[in-house]
Amino acid sequence: MQNQAASATLTSTLLNALTEEMAPVSKDWLHALCSEEQQAHFSATLTYMLEEGLLVTTRIGAYTLPERLGLVTGTIIGHRDGFGFLKTTQEGTDLFLPAKEMRKVFHNDFVLAAPSSMDKKGRREGQIIKVLKAGKVELVGRYFVEGNHRYVVPDDSRINQDILIGKNDTAGARQGQVVVIEVVSRPAAPKLAVGKVTDILGEKMAPGMEVQVALRNHDIPHDWPNAVTKAVSKLEEEVDEASKQNRVDLRDLPLVTIDGEDARDFDDAVFCEAKKSGGWRLWVAIADVSYYVRPDAALDREALNRGNSVYFPDQVIPMLPEQLSNGLCSLNPQVDRLCMVAEMTISAAGRLSGYKFYEAVMHSHARFTYNKVAAILDGDEALAQRYADQVPHLQELHRLYSALKVSRAQRGGIELETQETRFIFNAQRKIEQIVPLTRNDAHKMIEECMIQANVAAAKFVEKHQQAILYRVHDRPGKERLTNFRGFLNELGLPLGGGDEPQPSDYFTLVASIQERPDLELIQTMLLRSMMQAVYQPDNLGHFGLALKSYAHFTSPIRRYPDLLLHRVIKFLVNKLEAEAAGKTVKNKWTVTGGYSYQDDEMDKFGEACSMTERRADDATREVSDSLKCEYMQDHVGTVLPATIAAVTGFGFFARLEEFHIDGLVHINSLRGDYYHYDAARQILVGEKTGKRFRIGDAVTVKVASVNMADRKMEFVIVNKDGQADEFDRPQRSGKDGGRGKRFTKPGEERETTGRNGGKKKPRHRDTKNKGKRRKPSTASDSNKDTSSENKGGFSPWQQRDPDAKKAKPNNDAKAKPRKKPKKKRKQRPGKQERTAAKQQKN
């Protein structure tokens, strides 16, 4: 910690000096600025500043700030089509990188770049100067051999270049296998990157392969370091008696856990009782992870590196080793466990009126599932008899939930019932069925209890002015709000609040759409209009829950911010007890794992935890998309009902009602018209027909294709019979409505009215000549009977004689003599000739 503080101070000193200096300086000049204490950190600090792009060197080895040379630093964001972008550290200076520049780097590299010219679309292009920090050292992809060349195609579509593999670096990989490679030499256009195979994952469609690929694509740590394995090996299987000392004993309190059927780690237990004066007393006991995971220990460093547990279908990558997450820190039934307790008082109106925190030892009296609790509350006699001792407590907990629900509605907390799905796997770990998940009152009951504990924890720490990470959910921005209002206007739905709607305005909107068939889609658009929640030490409140202070306290087994909050609360509890006893607290830590952090430390933790959360979301979405595409391969050509879930400039996404899977209907596949995207109203409108496609419209689609490489699928619009949906084309102007009405389809007859009201004979295609041009008549053919040649009329594909329609069909008809060509008019002399002739005459 002291080394970090010294390095940060020196960094600030050097930057301030270079800001005032008007020319590049030497290394000795910078070294002279250091104090005697700082000189020991000079070399490491200078290297750090160069790697972070805070400093750059000139060709003669002098040091200066990058902006003095017109350079910028930033992170590469690759695109599947070969180009990319540079997200710079300076606001408003992002650059476009053409494909030739992207061949020098990989996605997520941190680089130094120079802005260059503007492209045709008005985007400022960039030129890569230097890679400061490599974003990816290991890549996962498929191994291929072509002739004498061996290469790997990265699975990450944002890396659009192959990696060459040396002859002796294949590790025995076979054609088409999924492998992990280490990049030996980085790309330097026109040269490709070179790598070597370090691990062979297996065949592309092997069970569980999608998870292995996602872990590596998103750099999610999944192997435990040796230091962590060594630390865990020293832990006992049960809590020792010494650890239970000096804690509040809650083992007789009937705390129970309520989780999902497939849950393996139980980090919260609850119990409530009614107060004689009205209201309730609620206990929320949370596993005391901070007792086992101490600051800056091996377990702590790895927990921070992971940031959170990652939940894939049928598999979990935990933040903590199994000995802790499923053992000592899991509130398993009928065993003693250490815990942190939030004991709260809730008024009869469902409002938090008091709270206190303390370290305790508990003994879970039962392990419930959501479905069991919901069945008990609905009057299941068999379950009620089996859990007779806990039923009264569960019913009291449900009465508390009813009051909390009313309170949430009064403050305007948004409660959305989005449709989630669950994959049911067979023995080969292939999807057998996709089923919707429904939330019952047991889910909501536990959720409300956890919200109260999180609010109490945030208020407690905020009151005593300690640095923590708040869970911040800011209000929607202007652009998102404008788009959402445009969407609502199309549906005739109002959103109050003007330019700054409050949570209560959203709550009113949600309440008004509960009976609509497009409820789920409106809620989806509402979520898209919201800002993304983040972790940060600056408290801006939680807009969605309509709360002024909110922090995550209830899941330290699977979220690092919760672990940080536990440490801070422990420190505060110890500090308050010491001050009450007249003692002075000098240390920043406590013997049971408490710790006091500074604001700058929390800034770094917030950025890291927000990043790992987004990383986990991206990885789980990738795995889910892969599994869905694999499942839908067996449904290519199937016609299914769907609903439009999103509209873009290149088409729209339709969600299958049966499987809750989205697929793209490309704008080029829409027949009968040209369609244009109206961004304000989020609809596609036909140019001539005026037909519209908008969110919420019911459509019938056919699964056209499934692309496993891109994890995407395409649909086409069809009618209910499964035929391509062709809309009526606009009628052409002109005689007979244009060419579209001149001819009938093969085998189809059509009667038309002649000039005198009589019926004309139907026209047929010339099936004999089949569209071939007829041979010109010769002398030898003049005696042949040609009466059959014109029976079918004239083929529309033949070269038509302009006078053919005037010829009589019988053989006796004499050929009409050609008209004599008109005598060419004598060309009038030009101006120059006339002028010359006039002069000669004069």
Side-chain angles (χ1 to χ4, degrees):
M1 293 289 184
Q2 293 179 352
N3 292 342
Q4 292 179 357
S7 179
T9 303
L10 179 56
T11 300
S12 178
T13 301
L14 297 180
L15 288 177
N16 290 336
L18 283 170
T19 302
E20 297 176 359
E21 194 65 25
M22 299 305 296
V25 299
S26 65
K27 186 176 182 179
D28 293 336
W29 188 91
L30 291 173
H31 189 270
L33 297 175
C34 302
S35 63
E36 294 183 3
E37 297 178 356
Q38 292 175 333
Q39 288 179 1
H41 307 289
F42 176 73
S43 296
T45 301
L46 196 62
T47 302
Y48 164 78
M49 294 178 71
L50 289 171
E51 290 177 349
E52 294 295 325
L54 301 175
L55 291 181
V56 293
T57 56
T58 64
R59 292 186 178 183
I60 61 173
Y63 295 83
T64 186
L65 302 175
E67 54 265 29
R68 291 289 177 85
L69 301 180
L71 304 178
V72 295
T73 57
T75 303
I76 299 292
I77 300 175
H79 191 276
R80 55 177 295 181
D81 291 336
F83 60 85
F85 301 91
L86 181 68
K87 186 174 180 58
T88 62
T89 51
Q90 297 85 0
E91 187 176 354
T93 57
D94 292 352
L95 302 175
F96 172 76
L97 299 175
K100 64 178 181 179
E101 292 298 320
M102 286 298 296
R103 286 194 285 270
K104 304 176 183 178
V105 292
F106 286 148
H107 169 76
N108 215 32
D109 283 351
F110 186 72
V111 304
L112 182 70
S116 58
S117 60
M118 304 288 284
D119 69 358
K120 295 180 180 180
K121 295 183 178 180
R123 299 172 295 192
R124 175 70 66 183
E125 292 188 353
Q127 181 180 2
I128 304 298
I129 304 299
K130 183 180 180 181
V131 176
L132 300 176
K133 286 191 296 185
K136 281 193 176 281
V137 179
E138 285 191 343
L139 298 173
V140 62
R142 295 187 72 185
Y143 174 79
F144 295 98
V145 180
E146 289 185 4
N148 294 326
H149 299 285
R150 292 154 295 279
Y151 61 95
V152 167
V153 179
D155 186 82
D156 190 343
S157 61
R158 296 168 297 186
I159 299 177
N160 205 310
Q161 48 187 297
D162 298 340
I163 315 297
L164 297 178
I165 305 297
K167 182 178 180 180
N168 300 321
D169 296 327
T170 64
R174 299 193 305 272
Q175 180 85 345
Q177 284 188 319
V178 181
V179 299
V180 180
I181 63 170
E182 178 185 347
V183 178
V184 177
S185 66
R186 298 186 61 78
K191 295 182 179 180
L192 295 175
V194 178
K196 65 177 181 179
V197 177
T198 59
D199 192 11
I200 300 173
L201 300 181
E203 302 302 325
K204 175 65 176 176
M205 301 302 291
M209 183 57 66
E210 61 281 341
V211 173
Q212 297 301 318
V213 171
L215 291 175
R216 291 161 176 83
N217 277 346
H218 298 276
D219 299 321
I220 295 176
H222 52 280
D223 293 323
W224 299 110
N226 292 333
V228 171
T229 304
K230 185 178 179 180
V232 169
S233 65
K234 299 178 182 178
L235 297 173
E236 302 290 338
E237 292 186 5
E238 299 296 336
V239 180
D240 57 83
E241 291 300 320
S243 302
K244 302 175 186 178
Q245 304 302 314
N246 301 317
R247 288 175 174 264
V248 177
D249 192 342
L250 295 181
R251 283 177 284 191
D252 292 333
L253 195 70
L255 290 158
V256 297
T257 61
I258 305 175
D259 296 274
E261 279 77 0
D262 53 354
R264 297 178 61 190
D265 53 350
F266 314 121
D267 49 12
D268 58 81
V270 294
F271 170 72
C272 85
E273 64 180 11
K275 293 172 60 180
K276 293 181 180 179
S277 58
W280 295 268
R281 179 171 282 106
L282 171 65
W283 285 265
V284 174
I286 307 298
D288 191 359
V289 177
S290 61
Y291 182 80
Y292 300 100
V293 183
R294 300 302 175 97
D296 208 30
L299 278 168
D300 181 52
R301 289 193 296 271
E302 184 61 17
L304 175 59
N305 188 31
R306 298 187 175 212
N308 45 255
S309 297
V310 186
Y311 291 86
F312 296 111
D314 206 34
Q315 187 175 349
V316 179
I317 306 300
M319 185 181 79
L320 299 174
E322 189 174 350
Q323 292 90 329
L324 287 173
S325 60
N326 296 346
L328 278 172
C329 293
S330 182
L331 305 182
N332 299 326
Q334 311 306 326
V335 292
D336 291 351
R337 288 290 184 259
L338 305 183
C339 60
M340 280 291 296
V341 176
E343 184 179 331
M344 299 162 282
T345 53
I346 311 293
S347 70
R351 296 180 181 175
L352 181 66
S353 56
Y355 52 80
K356 63 179 178 179
F357 292 86
Y358 50 84
E359 301 171 51
V361 56
M362 63 161 286
H363 189 95
S364 175
H365 287 236
R367 182 270 202 255
F368 283 106
T369 65
Y370 294 122
N371 290 337
K372 280 185 180 179
V373 172
I376 290 173
L377 295 175
D378 288 339
D380 188 306
E381 295 182 0
L383 286 174
Q385 186 176 358
R386 178 180 173 185
Y387 298 101
D389 294 339
Q390 283 80 31
V391 169
H393 307 313
L394 294 176
Q395 292 172 341
E396 196 63 52
L397 198 62
H398 190 257
R399 284 190 281 271
L400 167 63
Y401 158 68
S402 299
L404 293 174
K405 183 178 180 181
V406 172
S407 176
R408 179 171 180 165
Q410 289 175 346
R411 72 173 186 266
I414 305 170
E415 186 175 10
L416 301 179
E417 294 295 334
T418 56
Q419 183 65 66
E420 297 181 3
T421 57
R422 180 187 177 190
F423 299 145
I424 306 297
F425 294 93
N426 57 23
Q428 290 74 39
R429 206 186 174 279
K430 298 297 182 180
I431 297 180
E432 189 173 273
Q433 192 178 3
I434 301 177
V435 297
L437 290 178
T438 55
R439 291 196 337 141
N440 52 44
D441 274 4
H443 289 88
K444 301 173 186 178
M445 187 169 67
I446 294 301
E447 179 184 323
E448 287 297 332
C449 291
M450 297 305 110
I451 289 175
Q452 295 305 309
N454 289 337
V455 171
K459 288 185 174 182
F460 176 65
V461 177
E462 188 176 31
K463 177 181 177 181
H464 297 286
Q465 300 179 347
Q466 280 287 317
I468 61 166
L469 289 180
Y470 293 95
R471 183 61 168 174
V472 172
H473 185 223
D474 206 355
R475 62 176 60 251
K478 287 186 178 180
E479 184 177 353
R480 293 184 180 217
L481 180 60
T482 301
N483 292 337
F484 185 51
R485 284 191 183 278
F487 164 72
L488 292 177
N489 289 338
E490 281 294 303
L491 301 179
L493 293 171
L495 175 65
D499 294 335
E500 294 188 0
Q502 299 303 309
S504 56
D505 297 312
Y506 283 86
F507 179 85
T508 303
L509 171 66
V510 173
S512 67
I513 62 175
Q514 293 304 306
E515 302 301 324
R516 291 178 62 104
D518 54 356
L519 167 65
E520 182 185 348
L521 290 168
I522 297 174
Q523 291 185 152
T524 301
M525 292 300 296
L526 188 152
L527 286 173
R528 290 177 184 172
S529 73
M530 294 286 184
M531 301 293 286
Q532 188 174 29
V534 296
Y535 293 107
Q536 65 181 47
D538 298 326
N539 183 19
L540 301 179
H542 197 291
F543 183 83
L545 295 175
L547 295 169
K548 294 181 179 179
S549 299
Y550 193 69
H552 278 164
F553 168 77
T554 56
S555 297
I557 289 179
R558 59 186 180 91
R559 289 190 305 229
Y560 194 77
D562 303 56
L563 176 57
L564 293 174
L565 183 52
H566 276 230
R567 290 173 179 164
V568 173
I569 290 176
K570 276 189 177 181
F571 173 81
L572 279 176
V573 170
N574 182 74
K575 179 183 177 182
L576 294 173
E577 290 177 353
E579 290 176 350
K583 299 177 182 179
T584 303
V585 176
K586 297 181 180 180
N587 297 325
K588 296 173 61 177
W589 49 270
T590 70
V591 294
T592 58
Y595 197 84
S596 176
Y597 292 96
Q598 302 301 314
D599 288 334
D600 57 345
E601 293 176 290
M602 282 297 171
D603 279 326
K604 295 179 180 178
F605 287 139
E607 292 175 3
C609 293
S610 296
M611 180 277 293
T612 58
E613 183 183 43
R614 291 192 298 270
R615 180 179 68 184
D617 290 341
D618 292 341
T620 53
R621 191 181 303 113
E622 178 181 309
V623 170
S624 178
D625 290 343
S626 295
L627 290 171
K628 289 176 180 178
C629 285
E630 184 178 341
Y631 179 71
M632 292 303 295
Q633 280 186 317
D634 296 333
H635 293 79
V636 173
T638 306
V639 176
L640 297 163
T643 306
I644 297 179
V647 181
T648 68
F650 51 85
F652 58 83
F653 289 92
R655 180 168 301 163
L656 301 179
E657 295 179 4
E658 182 177 351
F659 305 121
H660 299 277
I661 293 176
D662 292 355
L664 174 65
V665 177
H666 200 279
I667 194 170
N668 290 340
S669 71
L670 299 176
R671 298 170 176 263
D673 205 346
Y674 293 104
Y675 286 85
H676 302 283
Y677 177 53
D678 186 337
R681 296 185 293 171
Q682 300 232 330
I683 59 174
L684 287 175
V685 184
E687 185 178 296
K688 298 295 184 182
T689 61
K691 183 173 178 62
R692 301 181 178 187
F693 292 101
R694 58 185 175 186
I695 295 175
D697 286 353
V699 291
T700 303
V701 300
K702 180 169 69 175
V703 182
S705 64
V706 175
N707 189 332
M708 288 299 299
D710 294 334
R711 305 178 188 91
K712 294 180 180 179
M713 60 194 80
E714 288 197 9
F715 303 155
V716 292
I717 297 292
V718 296
N719 57 30
K720 293 181 180 180
D721 297 327
Q723 302 300 317
D725 192 9
E726 293 196 40
F727 305 110
D728 293 336
R729 298 174 185 266
Q731 185 169 327
R732 298 175 184 268
S733 58
K735 184 179 179 180
D736 293 332
R739 190 173 57 184
K741 287 190 176 182
R742 185 174 298 168
F743 304 107
T744 60
K745 294 182 180 179
E748 189 178 82
E749 295 186 358
R750 182 185 60 184
E751 293 184 349
T752 56
T753 304
R755 293 180 182 177
N756 299 324
K759 293 183 178 180
K760 291 185 177 180
K761 294 182 179 180
R763 291 186 174 184
H764 302 278
R765 297 188 186 277
D766 187 355
T767 56
K768 180 178 179 181
N769 290 287
K770 297 182 180 179
K772 296 179 182 178
R773 188 173 179 179
R774 296 179 181 178
K775 295 180 181 180
S777 300
T778 61
S780 59
D781 297 328
S782 59
N783 297 326
K784 292 182 180 180
D785 183 12
T786 58
S787 60
S788 62
E789 291 186 8
N790 294 326
K791 284 183 179 179
F794 190 83
S795 172
W797 291 283
Q798 294 178 13
Q799 181 70 30
R800 185 161 185 154
D801 183 358
D803 296 323
K805 62 181 180 180
K806 298 180 181 180
K808 295 182 180 180
N810 56 35
N811 296 330
D812 298 332
K814 296 181 180 180
K816 190 175 181 179
R818 290 186 178 181
K819 294 182 179 180
K820 293 182 179 180
K822 293 181 179 180
K823 188 176 181 181
K824 290 186 178 179
R825 184 178 178 181
K826 187 176 181 182
Q827 189 173 1
R828 185 183 178 187
K831 185 176 180 181
Q832 292 181 349
E833 289 82 352
R834 294 198 305 273
T835 303
K838 188 181 294 185
Q839 291 176 351
Q840 186 176 3
K841 185 177 180 180
N842 294 333

